[in-house]
Amino acid sequence: MAPQVAKKDLSTHTLRYAVRLGDDALILGQRLSEWVSCAPFLEEDIALANVALDYIGRARMYYQYAASLSPHHKSEDDFAFLRGERDFENYLINELPRGDFADTIVRQLIVDIYNFHYLSALRHSKDQALAAIADKSHKETRYHLRRSRLWTVRLGDGTEESHQRMQRAIDEIWGYTHELFTQDSLEQLLVEKNIAVDTASLRTQWFTDISATFQEATLTLPDTEWAIHGGRKGYHTEYLGRLLSEMQFLHRSYPGCQW
Amino acid sequence: MLPQTPKKTADTEKQKRALFQRKIDAGQKIEPNEWMPSEYREMLAYQLTQKIYTETIGMQPESCWVARTPTLQRKVILLAKIQDEGGHGLYLHGVAETANIPREKITADLHSGKNPYSCLLDYFIQTWGDIGAIGWLIDGAAICIQVSLQRTSYGPYARSMIRICKEENFHQRQGYQIMIALARGSAEQRKMAQDSLNRWYWPALMIFGLPDDQASHLKDSMKYKLQLYSNDTLRQKFIDQTVPQIEYLGLEHPDKNIKWNEERQHYDSGDIDWNKLSSIVKAHSSCHARPRLQHHRKVHAEGSWVREAQHAYRQKQIQRKLNAAA
């Protein structure tokens, strides 16, 4: 039986959940935006900027909703710019450096398949604001997934070099995927309230989908199993601190200013 | 077909030129498959290449601030703007292809140093105020030129400019909005705005090129309507429109001696250092260490494995289809 939660507590939990989802979107969007002017050709500069824009836009929607639940009149920028490394609760996979194009495509495939199923479920959340954000985001993710799947197949089944780069990227990132399917008590509670998504239930479908794409791309799942967790508890890699230092420096240098 | 006599060829060339010029004078567009004089083709190629470099190399200076925007809203606006610049590069590559200038050649000529790009693009973007000043002044100057190019004689070029101008107007507005926020902000923000204005006003005047009496191709370019107004005319338009914009911001004009000339109905600039301006415009490929060019070369080289893989995959797909059909 679901534990009894006071209405005020539920709102606080939902706020924190929305901020987490915002963190996932913002950190990945920030990473993707690093590709602008660095992509293999001009069309990709534009496409990667587009995906980055979708993610940053998504972060803004989650943060704005969280701000509306906040009793302290917070703004979207307060969440993005005035919290430190230990306050961010994004999954670690989002903060990893952009790496080469293979690293980016593999991360996008993992995240896109995950989001495809995640947002599909979140569309049915009892929380109408989250459901509405999920509905809009799911349309974007469908397009992101088409892109990352096609690139995975092209690069996996392209040249010897592209195949090797893709396989290396998979091997290096795989341990970060497990965290996507584990949830802390906050999210479990919100799952019971039909507000959050039960990520453990998505794992089989996610695995089936990604295996099928890897097979088509002549890529293999890694032999070794290692797993790293911590993002949802605010335990991060060193990469996040550097990302935040750059992202937040101007905002923090001039406290209270309008831009 | 009978061989033509040299005289006949000369006559035909002369007739073609006369017909071509009549079309231009009548304001008609030249389309890709039509005959055109070699110097027209050369000038068109030069202009298009320069515009493509400005758009695509121009993505670099601003992209270095995407990670550091002061708000999330500014981040999405700046990203969308840079994305537009890339899109403009693509339209213009499309225009260049209609004039038989392949994209690979444009890139190769950039990398080899054969074709220079404006050294303005190599200026460093130090502060957030610079992002505002670039949108407002540099894009603003470019718009003055591009608006007139909507009526340029080469059809595909003119049509691409119509779309480009719509987006550029948004770019200038976002730059000016950044400046408004800074000018109305704290003392430090105001200082940032004034500093950026002081540093970017003069380079913006360079966008229009050399003074008319030093611009060697200007006459031909205007004869063929590849340029509709002279460099100095467009520069004056920009100078005039910028004065009230600076006043609205409540900032000081970088040209301390600028003053209204009742007779000319234009502002007279006081402090333009024409020698410096000319040397910078002329310097082009040698003014600097060219960090943007180095970056473009590096990124192009880093991406080669992706382009090769794409090609290899396509070839495999074709082969598989052929094998299946056999």
Side-chain angles (χ1 to χ4, degrees):
Chain A
M1 193 183 151
Q4 293 299 310
V5 185
K7 205 173 170 188
K8 187 173 159 232
D9 289 344
L10 190 63
S11 170
T12 309
H13 293 328
T14 307
L15 184 159
R16 193 164 160 201
Y17 179 58
V19 171
R20 284 177 173 187
L21 298 182
D23 292 349
D24 283 329
L26 177 62
I27 300 302
L28 185 57
Q30 177 83 358
R31 279 289 182 230
L32 283 166
S33 73
E34 292 173 12
W35 273 105
V36 179
S37 295
C38 296
F41 46 92
L42 190 51
E43 284 84 346
E44 271 304 308
D45 278 309
I46 297 172
L48 286 161
N50 222 39
V51 180
L53 274 169
D54 286 344
Y55 272 103
I56 297 163
R58 202 175 288 184
R60 294 184 69 197
M61 290 190 286
Y62 284 126
Y63 286 157
Q64 282 166 10
Y65 177 50
S68 76
L69 297 175
S70 164
H72 310 293
H73 305 291
K74 282 191 183 291
S75 72
E76 59 176 34
D77 289 330
D78 291 338
F79 291 117
F81 296 99
L82 296 178
R83 290 181 305 140
E85 293 91 326
R86 297 279 284 110
D87 304 319
F88 273 76
E89 295 184 337
N90 56 283
Y91 287 128
L92 302 176
I93 195 168
N94 297 308
E95 69 200 42
L96 299 177
R98 76 169 163 90
D100 69 6
F101 196 66
D103 291 312
T104 284
I105 291 302
V106 169
R107 167 163 53 192
Q108 290 311 117
L109 181 75
I110 290 167
V111 170
D112 290 342
I113 295 176
Y114 177 80
N115 278 334
F116 182 84
H117 296 297
Y118 191 100
L119 294 167
S120 194
L122 191 63
R123 283 192 297 185
H124 305 293
S125 170
K126 228 173 82 184
D127 185 298
Q128 287 184 355
L130 290 176
I133 296 171
D135 198 45
K136 180 178 186 299
S137 305
H138 191 257
K139 290 183 187 114
E140 298 161 353
T141 283
R142 280 204 317 245
Y143 148 78
H144 299 168
L145 177 56
R146 204 169 70 199
R147 226 180 87 75
S148 54
R149 193 182 271 155
L150 279 171
W151 266 120
T152 301
V153 173
R154 263 183 232 139
L155 297 177
D157 193 18
T159 60
E160 181 62 32
E161 181 182 2
S162 70
H163 179 87
Q164 280 175 12
R165 283 181 186 256
M166 288 294 282
Q167 193 59 58
R168 176 201 48 78
I170 294 167
D171 295 346
E172 286 179 7
I173 206 171
W174 197 250
Y176 290 92
T177 61
H178 307 287
E179 186 186 41
L180 301 173
F181 305 101
T182 50
Q183 288 179 298
D184 63 2
S185 56
L186 174 104
E187 289 190 20
Q188 280 165 6
L189 188 142
L190 291 173
V191 167
E192 284 161 14
K193 296 278 170 200
N194 294 319
I195 289 172
V197 174
D198 176 10
T199 61
S201 72
L202 308 176
R203 190 165 200 163
T204 310
Q205 192 57 53
W206 175 85
F207 190 78
T208 307
D209 290 354
I210 205 160
S211 302
T213 302
F214 282 168
Q215 194 178 5
E216 195 187 342
T218 71
L219 296 163
T220 50
L221 291 164
D223 293 334
T224 51
E225 277 294 311
W226 54 279
I228 180 162
H229 292 80
R232 286 289 193 252
K233 287 185 185 148
Y235 295 127
H236 290 279
T237 66
E238 290 167 3
Y239 305 119
L240 181 71
R242 293 196 186 129
L243 181 150
L244 294 181
S245 308
E246 189 178 31
M247 186 176 81
Q248 297 178 338
F249 114 87
L250 184 62
H251 189 95
R252 284 184 185 252
S253 300
Y254 299 89
C257 284
Q258 299 295 310
W259 300 93
Chain B
M1 195 178 155
L2 290 170
Q4 289 181 326
T5 62
K7 187 176 177 304
K8 221 173 177 179
T9 313
D11 280 351
T12 317
E13 168 86 12
K14 212 172 155 187
Q15 282 165 4
K16 279 181 181 169
R17 280 181 174 272
L19 189 69
F20 184 82
Q21 193 60 49
R22 270 207 300 279
K23 256 191 109 167
I24 301 244
D25 294 342
Q28 289 174 11
K29 297 288 177 235
I30 307 301
E31 296 301 333
N33 296 328
E34 290 179 47
W35 181 89
M36 52 187 92
S38 56
E39 70 271 19
Y40 178 89
R41 194 178 283 280
E42 277 165 28
M43 275 190 280
L44 176 66
Y46 180 78
Q47 267 203 31
L48 285 172
T49 310
Q50 286 302 307
K51 292 263 180 300
I52 288 169
Y53 295 157
T54 303
E55 298 286 3
T56 54
I57 301 286
M59 294 166 75
Q60 284 183 45
E62 290 174 308
S63 66
C64 77
W65 269 93
V66 168
R68 294 175 285 170
T69 58
T71 68
L72 292 182
Q73 190 185 23
R74 289 282 169 216
K75 196 186 291 290
V76 291
I77 292 172
L78 186 60
L79 250 179
K81 174 188 191 293
I82 299 169
Q83 196 188 25
D84 280 353
E85 313 280 7
H88 297 173
L90 279 183
Y91 305 154
L92 290 166
H93 270 302
V95 174
E97 274 169 25
T98 69
N100 291 325
I101 318 162
R103 194 160 149 183
E104 294 73 21
K105 182 177 166 15
I106 293 171
T107 307
D109 288 349
L110 171 73
H111 290 175
S112 70
K114 188 182 163 201
N115 279 347
Y117 61 91
S118 167
C119 66
L120 201 61
L121 298 166
D122 277 321
Y123 281 33
F124 295 116
I125 316 293
Q126 271 184 273
T127 69
W128 175 248
D130 292 359
I131 292 291
I134 286 172
W136 167 35
L137 298 170
I138 303 295
D139 288 344
I143 292 171
C144 286
I145 299 169
Q146 286 162 334
V147 164
S148 69
L149 287 176
Q150 293 178 96
R151 293 189 292 118
T152 190
S153 58
Y154 188 60
Y157 188 19
R159 292 189 285 273
S160 75
M161 278 299 154
I162 293 171
R163 181 152 182 191
I164 287 174
C165 281
K166 281 184 191 156
E167 296 178 350
E168 288 290 350
N169 278 327
F170 150 77
H171 297 174
Q172 189 190 19
R173 242 188 353 252
Q174 68 85 35
Y176 196 61
Q177 279 169 355
I178 290 174
M179 296 303 281
I180 291 175
L182 294 177
R184 290 180 185 167
S186 68
E188 278 176 305
Q189 284 177 304
R190 220 177 150 67
K191 199 171 145 199
M192 190 189 278
Q194 184 67 57
D195 173 55
S196 295
L197 168 60
N198 292 347
R199 284 184 293 110
W200 289 96
Y201 178 74
W202 305 106
L205 301 182
M206 294 175 210
I207 300 258
F208 300 95
L210 293 170
D212 290 352
D213 56 7
Q214 296 174 36
S216 53
H217 297 294
L218 181 63
K219 209 175 136 203
D220 282 344
S221 193
M222 288 186 70
K223 180 180 93 175
Y224 286 136
K225 291 193 182 164
L226 282 169
Q227 190 169 341
L228 276 296
Y229 299 99
S230 82
N231 296 355
D232 288 338
T233 307
L234 291 169
R235 188 171 6 245
Q236 184 68 58
K237 186 176 174 232
F238 174 77
I239 289 168
D240 290 346
Q241 77 181 30
T242 306
V243 171
Q245 290 170 348
I246 295 174
E247 278 170 10
Y248 182 78
L249 292 173
L251 298 176
E252 278 179 36
H253 200 295
D255 184 344
K256 300 283 177 268
N257 295 310
I258 194 159
K259 87 174 171 256
W260 177 250
N261 183 325
E262 190 60 34
E263 199 181 321
R264 288 202 313 126
Q265 289 291 300
H266 288 296
Y267 281 94
D268 288 339
S269 291
D271 298 337
I272 298 182
D273 183 344
W274 291 105
N275 287 332
K276 191 177 171 196
L277 190 148
S278 302
S279 70
I280 289 172
V281 174
K282 280 179 187 162
H284 260 358
S285 57
S286 58
C287 62
H288 215 277
R290 314 248 80 184
R292 315 291 181 204
L293 174 59
Q294 288 173 24
H295 176 84
H296 202 275
R297 282 188 189 132
K298 179 173 160 276
V299 161
H300 192 73
E302 280 171 2
S304 65
W305 70 270
V306 178
R307 299 190 298 275
E308 282 160 17
Q310 203 178 16
H311 178 72
Y313 178 74
R314 207 178 299 131
Q315 294 303 313
K316 279 186 193 176
Q317 290 298 95
I318 293 168
Q319 197 55 50
R320 278 168 196 156
K321 274 187 190 153
L322 289 173
N323 292 348

Short mmCIF file of all heavy atoms in Angstrom, two decimals, chain A residues 9-41:
data_model
loop_
_atom_site.label_atom_id
_atom_site.label_comp_id
_atom_site.label_asym_id
_atom_site.label_seq_id
_atom_site.Cartn_x
_atom_site.Cartn_y
_atom_site.Cartn_z
N ASP A 9 4.10 17.81 0.93
CA ASP A 9 5.27 16.98 0.68
C ASP A 9 5.28 16.49 -0.77
O ASP A 9 6.32 16.43 -1.41
CB ASP A 9 5.29 15.78 1.62
CG ASP A 9 5.61 16.21 3.04
OD1 ASP A 9 6.11 17.35 3.18
OD2 ASP A 9 5.34 15.45 3.97
N LEU A 10 4.10 16.15 -1.26
CA LEU A 10 4.01 15.64 -2.62
C LEU A 10 4.47 16.71 -3.60
O LEU A 10 5.20 16.44 -4.56
CB LEU A 10 2.56 15.22 -2.93
CG LEU A 10 2.39 14.46 -4.25
CD1 LEU A 10 3.15 13.14 -4.22
CD2 LEU A 10 0.92 14.22 -4.54
N SER A 11 4.07 17.94 -3.33
CA SER A 11 4.47 19.05 -4.19
C SER A 11 6.00 19.24 -4.13
O SER A 11 6.65 19.45 -5.16
CB SER A 11 3.74 20.32 -3.72
OG SER A 11 4.27 21.43 -4.35
N THR A 12 6.57 19.11 -2.95
CA THR A 12 8.03 19.23 -2.79
C THR A 12 8.75 18.12 -3.56
O THR A 12 9.75 18.35 -4.23
CB THR A 12 8.42 19.15 -1.30
OG1 THR A 12 7.60 20.07 -0.60
CG2 THR A 12 9.87 19.49 -1.07
N HIS A 13 8.20 16.91 -3.45
CA HIS A 13 8.80 15.77 -4.16
C HIS A 13 8.70 15.97 -5.67
O HIS A 13 9.64 15.67 -6.41
CB HIS A 13 8.11 14.46 -3.78
CG HIS A 13 8.32 14.06 -2.35
ND1 HIS A 13 9.47 14.36 -1.67
CD2 HIS A 13 7.52 13.38 -1.49
CE1 HIS A 13 9.38 13.87 -0.42
NE2 HIS A 13 8.20 13.28 -0.30
N THR A 14 7.55 16.43 -6.11
CA THR A 14 7.35 16.63 -7.56
C THR A 14 8.30 17.70 -8.07
O THR A 14 8.86 17.58 -9.16
CB THR A 14 5.88 17.02 -7.85
OG1 THR A 14 5.03 16.05 -7.26
CG2 THR A 14 5.61 17.07 -9.35
N LEU A 15 8.46 18.74 -7.27
CA LEU A 15 9.39 19.81 -7.64
C LEU A 15 10.79 19.22 -7.86
O LEU A 15 11.44 19.46 -8.87
CB LEU A 15 9.43 20.86 -6.52
CG LEU A 15 10.26 22.13 -6.70
CD1 LEU A 15 9.74 23.22 -5.75
CD2 LEU A 15 11.74 21.96 -6.47
N ARG A 16 11.22 18.42 -6.91
CA ARG A 16 12.57 17.85 -6.99
C ARG A 16 12.70 16.92 -8.21
O ARG A 16 13.72 16.91 -8.89
CB ARG A 16 12.88 17.11 -5.70
CG ARG A 16 14.35 16.78 -5.59
CD ARG A 16 14.74 16.40 -4.19
NE ARG A 16 15.99 15.65 -4.20
CZ ARG A 16 16.39 14.85 -3.23
NH1 ARG A 16 15.64 14.71 -2.15
NH2 ARG A 16 17.53 14.21 -3.33
N TYR A 17 11.64 16.20 -8.47
CA TYR A 17 11.62 15.29 -9.63
C TYR A 17 11.72 16.10 -10.93
O TYR A 17 12.50 15.77 -11.82
CB TYR A 17 10.32 14.47 -9.59
CG TYR A 17 10.14 13.50 -10.73
CD1 TYR A 17 11.07 12.50 -10.99
CD2 TYR A 17 8.99 13.56 -11.53
CE1 TYR A 17 10.88 11.59 -12.02
CE2 TYR A 17 8.78 12.65 -12.56
CZ TYR A 17 9.74 11.67 -12.80
OH TYR A 17 9.55 10.77 -13.82
N ALA A 18 10.95 17.18 -11.00
CA ALA A 18 10.99 18.02 -12.21
C ALA A 18 12.38 18.64 -12.39
O ALA A 18 12.89 18.72 -13.51
CB ALA A 18 9.94 19.13 -12.12
N VAL A 19 13.00 19.03 -11.29
CA VAL A 19 14.35 19.62 -11.37
C VAL A 19 15.34 18.56 -11.88
O VAL A 19 16.20 18.85 -12.73
CB VAL A 19 14.80 20.20 -10.01
CG1 VAL A 19 16.28 20.61 -10.06
CG2 VAL A 19 13.95 21.40 -9.65
N ARG A 20 15.21 17.33 -11.42
CA ARG A 20 16.09 16.25 -11.89
C ARG A 20 15.97 16.07 -13.40
O ARG A 20 16.96 15.93 -14.11
CB ARG A 20 15.68 14.91 -11.27
CG ARG A 20 16.09 14.76 -9.86
CD ARG A 20 15.58 13.45 -9.34
NE ARG A 20 16.13 13.23 -8.00
CZ ARG A 20 15.98 12.12 -7.33
NH1 ARG A 20 15.30 11.11 -7.85
NH2 ARG A 20 16.51 11.99 -6.14
N LEU A 21 14.73 16.04 -13.85
CA LEU A 21 14.52 15.84 -15.29
C LEU A 21 15.08 17.05 -16.06
O LEU A 21 15.64 16.90 -17.15
CB LEU A 21 13.03 15.64 -15.60
CG LEU A 21 12.39 14.41 -14.95
CD1 LEU A 21 10.92 14.28 -15.35
CD2 LEU A 21 13.13 13.12 -15.32
N GLY A 22 14.93 18.23 -15.45
CA GLY A 22 15.52 19.42 -16.04
C GLY A 22 17.04 19.32 -16.09
O GLY A 22 17.68 19.68 -17.09
N ASP A 23 17.63 18.80 -15.02
CA ASP A 23 19.10 18.63 -14.97
C ASP A 23 19.58 17.70 -16.08
O ASP A 23 20.56 17.99 -16.77
CB ASP A 23 19.53 18.07 -13.61
CG ASP A 23 19.32 19.06 -12.47
OD1 ASP A 23 19.04 20.25 -12.75
OD2 ASP A 23 19.42 18.64 -11.29
N ASP A 24 18.88 16.57 -16.24
CA ASP A 24 19.25 15.63 -17.31
C ASP A 24 19.27 16.35 -18.66
O ASP A 24 20.21 16.22 -19.44
CB ASP A 24 18.23 14.48 -17.41
CG ASP A 24 18.41 13.44 -16.31
OD1 ASP A 24 19.55 13.24 -15.87
OD2 ASP A 24 17.39 12.84 -15.90
N ALA A 25 18.20 17.12 -18.91
CA ALA A 25 18.05 17.77 -20.22
C ALA A 25 19.08 18.89 -20.39
O ALA A 25 19.69 19.02 -21.45
CB ALA A 25 16.63 18.31 -20.38
N LEU A 26 19.28 19.68 -19.34
CA LEU A 26 20.20 20.82 -19.47
C LEU A 26 21.64 20.37 -19.69
O LEU A 26 22.34 20.88 -20.57
CB LEU A 26 20.13 21.72 -18.24
CG LEU A 26 21.11 22.90 -18.26
CD1 LEU A 26 20.84 23.84 -19.43
CD2 LEU A 26 21.07 23.68 -16.96
N ILE A 27 22.06 19.40 -18.89
CA ILE A 27 23.47 18.99 -18.97
C ILE A 27 23.76 18.35 -20.33
O ILE A 27 24.79 18.63 -20.95
CB ILE A 27 23.84 18.05 -17.79
CG1 ILE A 27 23.60 18.76 -16.45
CG2 ILE A 27 25.27 17.55 -17.90
CD1 ILE A 27 24.36 20.06 -16.24
N LEU A 28 22.84 17.53 -20.81
CA LEU A 28 23.06 16.94 -22.13
C LEU A 28 22.99 18.01 -23.22
O LEU A 28 23.78 18.00 -24.17
CB LEU A 28 22.04 15.82 -22.39
CG LEU A 28 22.25 15.04 -23.69
CD1 LEU A 28 23.65 14.41 -23.75
CD2 LEU A 28 21.19 13.95 -23.86
N GLY A 29 22.05 18.93 -23.08
CA GLY A 29 21.94 20.02 -24.07
C GLY A 29 23.20 20.86 -24.10
O GLY A 29 23.70 21.23 -25.17
N GLN A 30 23.75 21.13 -22.92
CA GLN A 30 24.99 21.91 -22.84
C GLN A 30 26.13 21.16 -23.55
O GLN A 30 26.88 21.73 -24.31
CB GLN A 30 25.33 22.15 -21.36
CG GLN A 30 26.61 22.88 -21.09
CD GLN A 30 26.52 24.41 -21.19
OE1 GLN A 30 25.46 24.95 -21.51
NE2 GLN A 30 27.61 25.09 -20.94
N ARG A 31 26.21 19.86 -23.30
CA ARG A 31 27.24 19.05 -23.96
C ARG A 31 27.07 19.07 -25.48
O ARG A 31 28.02 19.21 -26.23
CB ARG A 31 27.18 17.60 -23.47
CG ARG A 31 27.86 17.36 -22.15
CD ARG A 31 29.37 17.46 -22.28
NE ARG A 31 30.04 17.18 -21.03
CZ ARG A 31 30.98 17.96 -20.49
NH1 ARG A 31 31.37 19.06 -21.10
NH2 ARG A 31 31.56 17.62 -19.36
N LEU A 32 25.83 18.88 -25.93
CA LEU A 32 25.58 18.83 -27.37
C LEU A 32 25.90 20.15 -28.05
O LEU A 32 26.38 20.19 -29.18
CB LEU A 32 24.12 18.45 -27.65
CG LEU A 32 23.78 16.98 -27.45
CD1 LEU A 32 22.27 16.80 -27.42
CD2 LEU A 32 24.37 16.13 -28.57
N SER A 33 25.66 21.25 -27.30
CA SER A 33 25.91 22.57 -27.90
C SER A 33 27.40 22.79 -28.16
O SER A 33 27.77 23.65 -28.94
CB SER A 33 25.33 23.68 -27.02
OG SER A 33 26.12 23.87 -25.87
N GLU A 34 28.25 21.98 -27.51
CA GLU A 34 29.69 22.11 -27.75
C GLU A 34 30.07 21.71 -29.18
O GLU A 34 31.16 21.99 -29.64
CB GLU A 34 30.47 21.22 -26.76
CG GLU A 34 30.38 21.67 -25.33
CD GLU A 34 31.03 20.66 -24.37
OE1 GLU A 34 31.74 19.74 -24.83
OE2 GLU A 34 30.81 20.79 -23.15
N TRP A 35 29.15 21.01 -29.85
CA TRP A 35 29.45 20.56 -31.21
C TRP A 35 29.35 21.66 -32.26
O TRP A 35 29.84 21.51 -33.38
CB TRP A 35 28.51 19.42 -31.62
CG TRP A 35 29.02 18.08 -31.20
CD1 TRP A 35 28.57 17.33 -30.17
CD2 TRP A 35 30.10 17.35 -31.79
NE1 TRP A 35 29.30 16.17 -30.09
CE2 TRP A 35 30.24 16.15 -31.08
CE3 TRP A 35 30.96 17.58 -32.86
CZ2 TRP A 35 31.21 15.20 -31.38
CZ3 TRP A 35 31.93 16.64 -33.17
CH2 TRP A 35 32.05 15.46 -32.44
N VAL A 36 28.69 22.75 -31.91
CA VAL A 36 28.48 23.79 -32.92
C VAL A 36 29.83 24.34 -33.37
O VAL A 36 30.65 24.72 -32.54
CB VAL A 36 27.58 24.91 -32.37
CG1 VAL A 36 27.39 26.00 -33.41
CG2 VAL A 36 26.24 24.35 -31.96
N SER A 37 30.04 24.32 -34.67
CA SER A 37 31.32 24.71 -35.29
C SER A 37 32.39 23.63 -35.17
O SER A 37 33.54 23.88 -35.49
CB SER A 37 31.92 26.00 -34.70
OG SER A 37 31.11 27.08 -34.97
N CYS A 38 32.03 22.48 -34.67
CA CYS A 38 33.01 21.40 -34.52
C CYS A 38 32.56 20.10 -35.19
O CYS A 38 33.23 19.07 -35.07
CB CYS A 38 33.27 21.11 -33.04
SG CYS A 38 33.99 22.49 -32.17
N ALA A 39 31.43 20.12 -35.89
CA ALA A 39 30.86 18.88 -36.44
C ALA A 39 31.60 18.47 -37.73
O ALA A 39 32.30 19.28 -38.32
CB ALA A 39 29.38 19.10 -36.71
N PRO A 40 31.41 17.21 -38.15
CA PRO A 40 32.14 16.72 -39.32
C PRO A 40 31.76 17.43 -40.63
O PRO A 40 32.52 17.42 -41.57
CB PRO A 40 31.74 15.24 -39.41
CG PRO A 40 31.07 14.91 -38.14
CD PRO A 40 30.60 16.17 -37.52
N PHE A 41 30.56 17.99 -40.69
CA PHE A 41 30.18 18.82 -41.84
C PHE A 41 29.03 19.73 -41.44
O PHE A 41 28.40 19.54 -40.40
CB PHE A 41 29.85 18.00 -43.11
CG PHE A 41 28.95 16.82 -42.89
CD1 PHE A 41 27.58 16.95 -43.04
CD2 PHE A 41 29.47 15.58 -42.56
CE1 PHE A 41 26.75 15.86 -42.86
CE2 PHE A 41 28.64 14.48 -42.37
CZ PHE A 41 27.27 14.63 -42.52
#
